Amino acid sequence: METTMTHNVSVEVTDGFHLVIDALKHNDIDTIFGLVGIPITDLARLAQAEGMRFIGFRHEQNAGNAAAIAGYMTKKPGICLTVSAPGFLNGLTALANATTNCFPMILISGSSEREIVDLQQGDYEEMDQLNVARPHCKAAFRVLKAEDIGIGIARAIRAAVSGRPGGVYLDLPAQLLAQTIEAGHAQRSLVKVIDAAPRQLPAPESVERALALLKDAKKPLILLGKGAAYAQADADIRAFVERTGIPYLPMSMAKGLLPDTHAQSASAARSFVLAEADVVVLVGARLNWLLAHGKGKTWGKPKQFVQIDIAPTEMDSNVAIAAPLVGDIGSCVGALLAGLDGAGIDKPDSEWLGAIAQRKEQNTAKMAALLDKNPVPMNFHSALRSIRDVLKEYPDINLVNEGANTLDFARSIIDQYQPRKRFDSGTWGIMGIGMGFAIGAAVTSGKPVVAVEGDSAFGFSGMELETICRYELPVTTIVFNNNGVYRGTDVNPTGGKDVAPTVFVKNARYDKMIEAFGGIGYHATTPEELARALCEAIASGKPALINAVIDETAGTESGRLTNLNPQSAAKK
Ligand code: ADP
Ligand code: TPW
């Protein structure tokens, strides 16, 4: 803030830069993930000077992913700050991914001069960013007057977290940031968002309908999605599962809402329960591709759904929903709990529970046989067994996971014990969230993070190892190094010098990368070495990377998504 003399009267003035920071702080936002340059360098400097945390990245997509996961963990929008056009576009993938996954975040981007951009006169980093952003987020706003910054940020916050959470774009032209405004006027223009995500109570008749359906169910199942984890209604969700006695399945990011070791978890009998159940209660999970759209062979016998979701249009998106329960998960589950006693719902038949228990036992025994093997080199199972055993001792650790085989196997082998501790490729199956999520989770929780990464997946954000070292974050990255995308064995059929499209440099030493920035590198070729390195890395609290050597023949193409991977039928 400075004082200027106008007609010999001194007036306190402030400017757009200060107002943006004031507006964020006014709404208890204390961290910005971003990457500096024209026109937002001073905004980042000022944020730091004014006591906010600015975490600077090497690529905007990773900053955006960090913001998105911070939003998911806290129910407050994560903030990503980027420069115009190319920086904005780099951040846009993360914004779109956040929207797809229902994570609240705000991408704030500087932009070039409106009058030049709109006449397409070729400005520095010219782009009509607002219109580019629109299809990829819940809402997109531009602020042109300093006095509107307060309301602009308030609208962005409310849009990100109310209803179905998602990404919001906020466009701040360079001229706006430099605009001056009288300080008192500026102060009065700030808006504190009250009750940003108001409770949305389900209609009583919807609750009754759902309870009536459950009462008649013979083979009920509860399916928990990441919306349930996001809602932070942990105690009620657990009470609902335990009081009804209904077996449940967690989607990958809902793992840990109840500990994976819980007696009612049906994860080890997943295919069986999906096919056999007659009434399925979806709690914050969409019937998208991850759930085979609620139909077909996966779902076997005909069934009826209760669906709890805050978005009314999610109902009947793929199949008919017999009992839609529209509202926030806390309120909906609370209402179901309140109605349980009066509804006369008994515990599920012992026949149903017995059949599940039997299936679980069989499948667990099969898995144990796979996990107990010790092939040389390691395969996914032996490496993950060793990680699973170490992480048992750290129930509150944050786990980031991406890759194809590395994702599929880790999801089923590594147990989660607490809610909102597992962050992965999510709804899109996107590669590249690794280091962004790891940094976002470490900064937000202040707790250690372990990132289990396919070697290809890691490459998308690997340069952020420098960021991890710069901020001295307790992140241990484990690279499952099998020399390529899915596996490392493909050959170029022409015999030419180029390797096959899926193949990387053989025997790369990813551990050397982190050493360049002062982090600790480990090279692990056996489950024992891997366990030792992981224990040491977590205990040190320092940035570390373990290059885990995996048999290059071990993976399958596309992991478990072979059915979605078209193959040329005309192979010669
Ligand atoms: P998963 O991938 O784990 O199956 P999805 O991302 O498909 O989960 O589904 C999450 C669902 O949760 C979305 O449809 C979203 O609208 C819903 N949701 C998110 N937050 C809440 C909330 N607080 N209350 C109710 N529904 C929510
Ligand atoms: C943004 C396509 C899906 S999985 C994968 C790619 C490139 C990497 C698999 O190899 P990795 O794992 O990580 O070594 P593993 O365990 O099988 O050896 N670009 C984006 N997203 C996706 N999903 C892809 C490409 C893909």
Side-chain angles (χ1 to χ4, degrees):
M1 201 167 300
E2 28 179 276
T3 305
T4 54
M5 300 290 286
T6 333
H7 305 296
N8 293 332
V9 183
S10 78
V11 188
E12 292 249 26
V13 295
T14 186
D15 60 20
F17 286 109
H18 284 84
L19 256 177
V20 172
I21 304 304
D22 290 348
L24 291 172
K25 285 175 64 181
H26 198 59
N27 284 288
D28 305 319
I29 290 173
D30 56 14
T31 306
I32 296 177
F33 303 94
L35 202 163
V36 297
I38 294 172
I40 48 91
T41 311
D42 255 4
L43 193 59
R45 283 202 187 101
L46 196 68
Q48 192 171 55
E50 298 280 322
M52 291 184 80
R53 194 137 194 231
F54 182 85
I55 307 290
F57 283 72
R58 305 300 294 264
H59 189 290
E60 292 86 351
Q61 188 176 125
N62 307 317
N65 285 326
I69 213 62
Y72 170 71
M73 293 168 80
T74 61
K75 292 179 105 175
K76 283 203 295 194
I79 308 290
C80 174
L81 181 65
T82 63
V83 303
S84 326
F88 156 79
L89 280 178
N90 283 346
L92 192 59
T93 302
L95 185 71
N97 188 57
T99 306
T100 300
N101 282 279
C102 315
F103 301 155
M105 76 172 274
I106 304 173
L107 175 64
I108 301 181
S109 184
S111 59
S112 300
E113 306 308 344
R114 286 252 50 83
E115 58 272 29
I116 307 180
V117 173
D118 288 349
L119 271 172
Q120 299 186 11
Q121 293 174 310
D123 203 1
Y124 167 72
E125 298 192 343
E126 176 179 294
M127 177 175 279
D128 182 6
Q129 296 167 199
L130 189 70
N131 282 312
V132 173
R134 247 186 243 291
H136 305 291
C137 54
K138 275 184 79 181
F141 306 109
R142 176 187 292 137
V143 183
L144 292 175
K145 292 195 291 192
E147 67 192 44
D148 290 336
I149 287 173
I151 206 80
I153 297 236
R155 277 178 81 58
I157 292 171
R158 193 176 287 282
V161 297
S162 60
R164 170 182 279 174
V168 174
Y169 176 60
L170 187 64
D171 193 88
L172 304 182
Q175 274 178 5
L176 170 84
L177 295 169
Q179 249 178 51
T180 53
I181 173 172
E182 190 262 317
H185 184 193
Q187 183 60 34
R188 288 187 298 278
S189 73
L190 296 179
V191 176
K192 173 118 184 158
V193 180
I194 307 297
D195 197 9
R199 287 193 306 146
Q200 285 181 228
L201 308 185
E205 60 273 22
S206 309
V207 178
E208 272 168 35
R209 194 183 294 121
L211 288 170
L213 200 58
L214 272 180
K215 183 172 162 23
D216 291 341
K218 296 278 170 292
K219 298 175 174 181
L221 174 70
I222 295 170
L223 224 155
L224 303 172
K226 59 175 146 11
Y230 174 80
Q232 299 194 15
D234 309 340
D236 272 2
I237 289 172
R238 186 172 183 145
F240 179 66
V241 171
E242 291 182 342
R243 279 182 54 195
T244 58
I246 299 176
Y248 75 94
L249 275 183
M251 297 299 286
S252 68
M253 281 179 60
K255 275 162 64 78
L257 205 40
L258 287 85
D260 281 330
T261 47
H262 196 283
Q264 284 171 252
S265 167
S267 290
R270 190 174 195 275
S271 315
F272 177 74
V273 290
L274 286 180
E276 292 292 322
D278 62 353
V279 173
V280 179
V281 185
L282 299 163
V283 187
R286 287 169 283 185
L287 287 174
N288 56 18
W289 69 279
L290 285 160
L291 283 170
H293 304 282
K295 53 196 171 193
K297 208 167 128 236
T298 308
W299 289 89
K301 303 211 168 107
K303 51 208 72 205
Q304 293 187 289
F305 290 98
V306 175
Q307 181 160 25
I308 304 181
D309 206 291
I310 204 156
T313 51
E314 194 52 43
M315 306 300 151
D316 310 323
S317 61
N318 285 267
V319 295
I321 300 300
L325 211 49
V326 176
D328 74 275
I329 284 166
S331 300
C332 291
V333 174
L336 288 177
L337 268 178
L340 268 188
D341 288 338
I345 296 175
D346 298 325
K347 297 259 162 157
D349 283 357
S350 56
E351 208 179 312
W352 173 228
L353 299 182
I356 297 172
Q358 196 186 359
R359 210 39 95 97
K360 273 172 70 171
E361 207 173 302
Q362 278 170 10
N363 291 346
T364 308
K366 261 192 239 158
M367 185 56 133
L370 281 175
L371 288 171
D372 282 349
K373 290 194 180 129
N374 271 313
V376 180
M378 288 186 282
N379 63 9
F380 289 95
H381 287 87
S382 62
L384 285 164
R385 176 194 73 215
S386 126
I387 295 171
R388 176 199 66 183
D389 291 345
V390 172
L391 294 188
K392 245 185 230 164
E393 307 302 321
Y394 299 93
D396 65 345
I397 210 139
N398 296 290
L399 184 80
V400 172
N401 189 199
E402 61 174 339
N405 296 277
T406 308
L407 178 73
D408 287 341
F409 291 125
R411 183 176 51 225
S412 54
I413 294 170
I414 300 177
D415 287 329
Q416 299 294 136
Y417 302 91
Q418 294 179 9
R420 296 171 297 283
K421 298 283 183 184
R422 186 189 152 87
F423 316 109
D424 66 27
S425 302
T427 305
W428 263 350
I430 193 173
M431 296 300 115
I433 46 83
M435 299 300 100
F437 277 10
I439 294 167
V443 167
T444 305
S445 68
K447 296 245 166 64
V449 177
V450 172
V452 178
E453 302 270 309
D455 49 352
S456 164
F458 170 72
F460 288 73
S461 65
M463 191 61 206
E464 303 299 343
L465 287 180
E466 190 276 330
T467 309
I468 291 170
C469 290
R470 183 163 19 109
Y471 293 100
E472 300 179 351
L473 298 172
V475 174
T476 303
T477 302
I478 306 172
V479 177
F480 273 50
N481 188 353
N482 64 353
N483 298 339
V485 177
Y486 312 132
R487 52 200 288 156
T489 47
D490 271 12
V491 288
N492 178 342
T494 70
K497 186 166 173 299
D498 287 350
V499 297
T502 55
V503 168
F504 294 156
V505 165
K506 299 274 181 200
N507 308 318
R509 292 292 299 268
Y510 292 98
D511 49 317
K512 304 275 182 201
M513 282 176 69
I514 199 163
E515 288 174 1
F517 308 113
I520 308 167
Y522 298 92
H523 181 65
T525 59
T526 63
E528 293 72 31
E529 282 174 5
L530 178 51
R532 213 175 310 128
L534 182 56
C535 286
E536 208 178 291
I538 296 173
S540 78
K542 299 217 167 79
L545 186 144
I546 305 169
N547 182 55
V549 178
I550 305 291
D551 182 355
E552 67 172 5
T553 68
T556 57
E557 176 122 350
S558 302
R560 286 187 199 164
L561 303 184
T562 314
N563 59 323
L564 299 179
N565 190 25
Q567 304 241 309
S568 165
K571 277 183 187 143
K572 279 186 268 177

